Amino acid sequence: MLRFFASILLTLSLLQNAFADINIGTWNLEHLSVRPNKDFQAIAKVAQKVDFLAVQELMNEEALQALATELTRQTGKHWSAMASHAVGRSSYKEMYGFVWRDDVIAYEDGAVTYLDRGDAFEREPYSARFKSLKDGATFVVATVHILYGKNQADRASEITALSSYWAWLKDTYPGNNSIMLMGDFNTPPSSPAWDKLDASARPLMLEGASTLSTTDGKFSNLYDNIFVSRNSAIKVNSIQVFNYPKFLGLSHAQGRDKVSDHAPIFLSASLSGGSPGNASVKSTSPNPMKPVAVGNDSAKNLTVAIRGNKKTMIYHRPDCPSYNSVSEKNRMEFDSTAAAEAQHYHLAGNCH
């Protein structure tokens, strides 16, 4: 009888742990924008395999909104999204994006583009803190697209700079031991360039490849990855390169044309050992955050990125309907609503 009850308790424990698991992905979606040959239905069919997706090579906000809308349509569950501002040293710029299922994940706080004082990165990383609605555990996701450059040395310099960035993440989100750095590193985890990274960080993908080769069914380089702390509270159940061309029934040529030249990395994990989420987020910049929120609740805790219109003297929070309608020539950024009001700006009438 005791064995029977012990078996029941073990089964219930396993079920509870399984219920708390969340699925997280990272995907370089190769110049993601709304254009005729970009198949958002196919992308969403793959992306719905996870509850949260970090996107690299996002070209504009409209594309991220289109993906969130298509995910909502396909799953019957509402998805929210958030994007960074455009980053890059030249006229060519990219954005980073996060998209997530509202019934599983909630934006917590701390959306911030890295203050790259030494100009080490072509495209400064982007991060934010989120909460699992399954068990209340918080986690931090940082995403980066390392410069490919002309040779390995160009990539290695940015990989080396990730050591300082990793330390910055731990300092910026104190008390949170569930930090994940993910994206397209353009460098395999076996490269000596990683020797400079903080010894407490480790890659989850150690073998395989994530870029599509010219031969169907074969992949070339393990450029995409997820790094976590060696003593992280995250309990990894599985991690894989998801073979999306096979899943969608596409050739590699069709995949590169319609979707991306990268396959996503999908992680299934438990965050139940994470921090309770009451630690404050430190900022080392007077105006570090410039997110674009396109979901209903994604900006509820934002304290910066207030956008004013110099012509009308009206300001908009990221959750306001007209936030993205302010033209660049009339745009004024503020750290907070109080800062905007101190300059005699008034809240837009359609903000609630």
Side-chain angles (χ1 to χ4, degrees), residues 196-233:
K196 297 292 185 180
L197 184 61
D198 189 319
S200 67
R202 64 184 177 92
L204 295 182
M205 287 295 303
L206 297 175
E207 57 185 22
S210 58
T211 60
L212 278 63
S213 74
T214 56
T215 302
D216 290 348
K218 293 187 177 181
F219 295 81
S220 300
N221 306 288
L222 185 53
Y223 284 166
D224 305 272
N225 220 317
I226 299 175
F227 283 77
V228 299
S229 172
R230 291 189 183 278
N231 61 348
S232 174

Side-chain angles (χ1 to χ4, degrees), residues 53-104:
L53 183 68
V55 175
Q56 301 87 46
E57 282 201 32
L58 173 66
M59 306 313 292
N60 52 56
E61 308 155 27
E62 292 76 16
L64 195 66
Q65 178 64 79
L67 177 56
T69 299
E70 182 59 25
L71 281 164
T72 299
R73 188 190 70 81
Q74 288 191 20
T75 64
K77 304 292 185 180
H78 189 270
W79 289 67
S80 288
M82 178 184 292
S84 72
H85 65 286
V87 290
R89 296 191 187 111
S90 65
S91 58
Y92 172 78
K93 298 183 185 300
E94 297 175 2
M95 305 167 76
Y96 298 110
F98 298 135
V99 60
W100 63 92
R101 269 182 59 161
D102 288 334
D103 61 329
V104 181

